[in-house]
Amino acid sequence: MSAHEGAGRDVRPLRRPRPWLRALALALAFAVPAPAIAATPAANNDDMMAAPPVAAPRPGYHADVLAHDPVMIRQGDTWYLFITGPGVSVYSSKDLRTWKAEPPVFAKIPAWAYEIVPGFNGHIWAPDISEHDGTYYLYYSISSGGKNTSAIGVATNTTLDPADPAFAWVDHGIVVRSVPHRDMWNAIDGQLVEDADGTPWLAFGSFWGGLKLARLGEDRLALAQPQEWHTLAKRERSILADDATPEPGAIEAPFIFQRDGWYYLFVSWDHCCRGAKSDYRIMVGRSRELTGPYLDREGRRMDQGGATEVLRGTARWPGPGHNSAYTFDGKDYLVFHAYDVEDGGRPKLKVLPIAWEAGGWPQVDASAL
């Protein structure tokens, strides 16, 4: 009962309130608004570089998964999802629809990360997961928004099952590093891919001079010597642009998918991480050789600005991007994030089937977002 309601019914002379009533009134005044404030999502989450959203702990399996930069792999009857997050966030699933949170890859951030990025916030970006000869390789990125002060590291494990006694991530440190004013490329968004001979390569890059491909050594833990590099894709960038700035040339997140003798290079154009204001979209080109050149549907080279659009956002789900692609049980899937305008612009996991035109170009139904 409020003070005004009490005054409306009490016609006797006003008396000094009792101390316990005053304390109760103050407690109610401060307590009542709290649930509404706590339940209100951020207006847009449009600065995720500086303040990335973090999923609240939830037991059990859920279809609604907060996710940036998702990649996945199957071990036995379980799929494991790795995403950008504190120490690299991990989820598991039995059906590709609902997911359960697992322990992060790193309970403690590798010390070298703070040497590369002083003040690093612990959010490790853009993981990539693969398996070779019984060992799982996780590539991950250490960086800060808008700078190519970055590095890609790698950790290994012999199992992805946290209940397995052999479960233990071993960090092997830096694979490749970029430095402002020295490099016109950015060492983030790595993906391991093998050529026709089984030779491992690392595709990576973001903005600046575009996306690169570098050959790895046989142990997959470092670049091969002598080094071999190729440019996969880029967008137009003025020679007058400051070397230390990423813009223009908004392209990142290469993922190479093999099908029917083609290497398909999926990339993300434009901008992530701005919540409902994100304009990310997924583009593609293809090549008969892993090293390229990759051509779009009209025959334009991706290393000269070409690319064919696969998926752009909708009013409900803007900014689809940073995709990976897989074949599971004979079906092809595009895995990516998009931003939920009905939940403060937070990034959410999306897994959609890929259809293929007669000419061999991928199609994804935007209405299924």
Side-chain angles (χ1 to χ4, degrees):
M1 183 172 67
S2 73
H4 290 294
E5 290 171 335
R9 288 195 294 268
D10 194 347
V11 296
R12 295 173 297 175
L14 291 176
R15 296 180 295 176
R16 186 180 300 275
R18 296 181 178 88
W20 67 268
L21 282 176
R22 178 177 295 179
L24 177 61
L26 287 172
L28 288 173
F30 283 98
V32 170
I37 294 172
T40 301
N44 181 58
N45 279 288
D46 59 0
D47 189 10
M48 293 182 188
M49 294 291 187
V54 178
R58 294 186 296 175
Y61 290 86
H62 303 273
D64 186 46
V65 177
L66 189 75
H68 242 153
D69 317 328
V71 294
M72 65 175 61
I73 196 170
R74 181 164 61 181
Q75 178 184 349
D77 64 352
T78 303
W79 283 271
Y80 290 92
L81 175 74
F82 296 79
I83 61 177
T84 290
V88 181
S89 299
V90 184
Y91 289 80
S92 66
S93 175
K94 298 293 186 180
D95 58 11
L96 279 179
R97 293 188 297 273
T98 59
W99 299 86
K100 178 182 70 172
E102 300 287 356
V105 171
F106 297 111
K108 183 178 180 181
I109 305 300
W112 66 262
Y114 298 97
E115 299 172 7
I116 299 297
V117 183
F120 180 59
N121 65 6
H123 275 252
I124 296 178
W125 294 0
D128 176 72
I129 186 70
S130 59
E131 184 273 337
H132 177 70
D133 285 348
T135 296
Y136 293 92
Y137 293 80
L138 183 93
Y139 296 88
Y140 60 91
S141 303
I142 303 296
S143 189
S144 57
K147 298 179 181 179
N148 62 339
T149 306
S150 309
I152 296 172
V154 61
T156 58
N157 205 333
T158 57
T159 179
L160 300 179
D161 181 1
D164 190 320
F167 180 85
W169 286 105
V170 178
D171 185 48
H172 300 275
I174 299 172
V175 178
V176 62
R177 177 184 180 183
S178 57
V179 177
H181 296 291
R182 185 192 75 179
D183 303 311
M184 281 297 294
W185 42 271
N186 195 10
I188 67 170
D189 296 359
Q191 183 222 354
L192 182 136
V193 59
E194 295 181 354
D195 64 17
D197 298 325
T199 300
W201 297 74
L202 190 69
F204 60 92
S206 173
F207 287 71
W208 277 274
L211 312 181
K212 306 298 180 182
L213 182 73
R215 186 164 58 91
L216 291 171
E218 291 184 4
D219 65 2
R220 303 177 179 228
L221 304 179
L223 297 183
Q225 299 297 331
Q227 293 185 18
E228 181 180 351
W229 291 59
H230 300 269
T231 296
L232 294 172
K234 60 184 177 181
R235 297 182 74 182
E236 184 177 356
R237 178 184 175 92
S238 170
I239 195 172
L240 300 178
D242 188 328
D243 286 356
T245 61
E247 299 277 10
I251 183 173
E252 58 189 3
F255 193 94
I256 297 174
F257 178 73
Q258 300 178 49
R259 181 181 186 273
D260 291 346
W262 290 101
Y263 295 94
Y264 289 85
L265 172 60
F266 291 92
V267 303
S268 295
W269 274 18
D270 302 329
H271 303 88
C272 74
C273 313
R274 300 178 179 183
K277 298 178 183 178
S278 303
D279 58 359
Y280 240 15
R281 50 190 170 126
I282 299 172
M283 313 292 287
V284 75
R286 66 184 185 183
S287 172
R288 289 294 188 183
E289 301 292 333
L290 175 63
T291 54
Y294 287 83
L295 308 181
D296 67 12
R297 192 170 182 170
E298 283 69 46
R300 299 171 298 185
R301 292 175 58 132
M302 292 184 73
D303 61 359
Q304 297 176 4
T308 296
E309 187 174 280
V310 177
L311 184 66
R312 68 167 55 220
T314 64
R316 173 69 172 82
W317 292 100
H322 204 116
N323 76 280
S324 50
Y326 307 96
T327 302
F328 295 125
D329 300 324
K331 297 180 181 179
D332 297 331
Y333 296 91
L334 195 73
V335 179
F336 57 98
H337 69 251
Y339 297 90
D340 187 351
V341 299
E342 295 185 3
D343 188 17
R346 292 177 174 87
K348 302 292 181 68
L349 173 68
K350 294 291 180 179
V351 180
L352 296 183
I354 302 175
W356 298 90
E357 295 180 358
W361 290 96
Q363 288 186 318
V364 178
D365 184 4
S367 68
L369 280 171

